[in-house]
Amino acid sequence: MSAALKERLVTALASREAKSTLRRLTHDSPPPAILSSLPNADRPLVDFSSNDYLSLSQSSELRNHFLRSLSSAPHILGSTGSRLLDGDTHSHSTLESRLASFYNAPSALLFSSGFDANAGLFSCIPAADDLVLYDEYVHASVHDGMRASRVPAKRRRAFRHNDLDHLRNALQRAVEEEPEVRSGRSVFVAVEGVYSMDGDVAPLREIADLLEELLPAGNGHLIVDEAHSTGIYGPLGRGLVAHLGLEDRVFLRLNTFGKALCSNGAVVLCEPHVRSYLINYARPLIYSTAPSHSNIIALSCVHDLLSEGYTVPLSRNLLSHATHLRALLSTYLPHPLLALAPPPALPTPILPLLTPRPRQLARFLVERGFLVRPIAAPTVPKGMERVRVCLHAANTTEEIEGLARAVGEWLRVIGEEEEGRLAKL
């Protein structure tokens, strides 16, 4: 490595370090310096951080079913190539057919990750003269896909988060200013079912209504990322689109398996001709090794549990926890150091504790046995820092009430410290 390149990289990292925004990979959660200070350092922290919403990583039923399936499967290791070469097996196509049926979709296409799926579909489906409108909080993978697409920057337009009026204005502007849109040029609208940082819910039915009202030619195409809603909502966990009965009004759904479903990979649910187009043009699919046999087996097993209704009481318990925790934390409000986002249309397992002191609050909660993460810029906008709380079906009422008490304790301690400081002035 040249000295100039090394200096540039080190300088960039040092800048992030100075701003306390440097990201690190660590298998210790939290860092050892904090762990060693805990009064019960050998006791596991209560998980209020991971995306294991249904607690399936702890499910002996899923584990045993998976191990039995592995032991009887003819192939379990690798996949030997990309889907277009040697990696497309009967197991892959059988699972896709099953997923299409389970999620009530015309067809299904597996991707190795939700990131790959978003990057692939947004890079190839919109044409250069199409219009893409996207919620300002959509995932980074959507942005990467749009940047790699043929759509110029001026035709990729953000609308304010969950703001139907702003979206309506953007659509009306396109209709009024572009005869091609009125006559059928495609307009894509990209949203998430549940947003990962704010834990709120997209107004999907209202967005679908808007598209049908303003684009009666049927050229409005709604794309919904269900990463944080798959497994939690809808009949047997089919997702928010299914919960609302919008399967026939959504152009494309992306359901991912790495969160509530305790696996990895994603499926794009779409019309057969869209599936064929992605097979031909989505580079992350074309040039990636296919999901391994063991991954296919894991996805089959978790969908066995979904189909049997195993996760229905888990999701019910999860959403009950969310309602309970919000009610407990609301008793501390209003407070200058704590705020909650407005209640979402549906309870969700993600509850951001908005505070100008996210690292201080996170450390305080960790020291009391609760694993949470501070979230600061650039992951969220400046002024929107928070501690992100993720709930799980296996969390107990005692754990949830303990977390709420700890937040109240922090507010009291901070208040006493502030009063002491002012008394010395």
Side-chain angles (χ1 to χ4, degrees):
M1 181 187 300
S2 69
L5 175 57
K6 181 177 180 180
E7 180 181 1
R8 176 166 64 83
L9 301 182
V10 169
T11 299
L13 293 171
S15 174
R16 284 210 161 179
E17 181 77 70
K19 299 174 186 175
S20 298
T21 59
L22 183 67
R23 296 182 173 106
R24 293 181 173 87
L25 295 176
T26 173
H27 63 275
D28 294 307
S29 300
I34 297 180
L35 281 175
S36 62
S37 68
L38 299 181
N40 298 296
D42 58 339
R43 183 182 302 171
L45 296 173
V46 178
D47 179 14
F48 283 111
S49 175
S50 79
N51 292 328
D52 185 24
Y53 301 129
L54 296 178
S55 302
L56 290 179
S57 71
Q58 306 171 37
S59 168
S60 58
E61 181 114 3
L62 177 57
R63 175 187 172 87
N64 292 335
H65 182 29
F66 177 55
L67 292 176
R68 287 193 301 269
S69 299
L70 281 178
S71 66
S72 61
H75 305 287
I76 62 172
L77 299 176
S79 61
T80 74
S82 71
R83 293 290 298 277
L84 292 175
L85 294 178
D86 302 302
D88 190 38
T89 69
H90 178 71
S91 297
H92 291 74
S93 57
T94 298
L95 177 60
E96 286 176 334
S97 296
R98 178 185 184 180
L99 294 176
S101 176
F102 178 79
Y103 290 103
N104 190 24
S107 69
L109 181 62
L110 285 169
F111 280 78
S112 295
S113 72
F115 197 109
D116 278 356
N118 268 331
L121 70 93
F122 280 98
S123 67
C124 73
I125 290 180
D129 55 356
D130 289 340
L131 180 64
V132 181
L133 304 177
Y134 59 93
D135 188 290
E136 63 180 333
Y137 288 173
V138 292
H139 194 264
S141 55
V142 175
H143 289 275
D144 280 11
M146 290 190 296
R147 281 194 292 267
S149 75
R150 297 161 289 174
V151 182
K154 65 181 180 181
R155 300 195 63 75
R156 309 191 305 258
R157 303 171 189 169
F159 59 91
R160 287 190 295 270
H161 177 55
N162 275 353
D163 190 327
L164 289 168
D165 289 335
H166 199 211
L167 175 59
R168 173 182 284 275
N169 291 340
L171 288 166
Q172 286 178 328
R173 173 188 165 194
V175 169
E176 292 168 2
E177 296 180 357
E178 301 184 40
E180 298 86 356
V181 169
R182 293 195 296 274
S183 61
R185 175 176 290 169
S186 291
V187 178
F188 297 92
V189 174
V191 299
E192 297 181 21
V194 173
Y195 287 87
S196 64
M197 287 295 133
D198 285 56
D200 52 356
V201 178
L204 296 181
R205 181 176 287 115
E206 292 80 357
I207 293 174
D209 290 343
L210 263 183
L211 290 174
E212 292 167 5
E213 172 194 345
L214 297 176
L215 300 171
N219 53 319
H221 306 298
L222 179 56
I223 299 176
V224 183
D225 183 338
E226 295 236 45
H228 294 271
S229 48
T230 302
I232 299 173
Y233 305 99
L236 300 177
R238 291 185 175 97
L240 186 62
V241 171
H243 173 79
L244 298 171
L246 299 176
E247 295 98 320
D248 295 334
R249 300 175 67 191
V250 170
F251 168 69
L252 185 150
R253 283 177 279 164
L254 170 63
N255 291 59
T256 72
F257 307 131
K259 297 176 174 64
L261 300 192
C262 188
S263 188
N264 63 289
V267 64
V268 168
L269 304 167
C270 58
E271 295 287 345
H273 61 276
V274 177
R275 180 180 186 273
S276 182
Y277 189 88
L278 290 169
I279 291 170
N280 280 272
Y281 291 100
R283 293 168 69 86
L285 175 77
I286 297 168
Y287 297 108
S288 291
T289 299
S292 69
H293 291 288
S294 58
N295 188 24
I296 298 300
I297 293 168
L299 291 174
S300 296
C301 289
V302 76
H303 281 87
D304 285 344
L305 266 61
L306 289 173
S307 299
E308 294 164 4
Y310 175 85
T311 62
V312 171
L314 299 180
S315 59
R316 188 183 303 125
N317 196 42
L318 170 68
L319 299 180
S320 175
H321 286 339
T323 301
H324 186 42
L325 179 59
R326 176 176 282 274
L328 293 172
L329 292 171
S330 295
T331 63
Y332 302 131
L333 304 179
H335 196 284
L337 293 181
L338 181 70
L340 300 179
L346 295 169
T348 75
I350 303 164
L351 183 60
L353 309 181
L354 303 172
T355 175
R357 304 184 187 182
R359 291 179 178 83
Q360 186 182 27
L361 174 55
R363 183 183 180 104
F364 187 92
L365 295 176
V366 167
E367 289 173 347
R368 279 146 188 80
F370 304 105
L371 178 58
V372 295
R373 305 285 185 183
I375 308 293
T379 304
V380 294
K382 289 184 177 181
M384 295 295 290
E385 294 82 5
R386 79 274 314 267
V387 170
R388 180 175 181 255
V389 174
C390 292
L391 293 159
H392 311 96
N395 287 134
T396 65
T397 300
E398 292 75 19
E399 290 169 348
I400 290 165
E401 294 176 350
L403 175 68
R405 283 195 301 271
V407 172
E409 182 186 355
W410 178 73
L411 293 173
R412 186 180 68 254
V413 168
I414 293 298
E416 291 172 352
E417 290 177 353
E418 186 65 16
E419 288 177 5
R421 186 185 68 81
L422 293 174
K424 293 178 182 178
L425 296 178

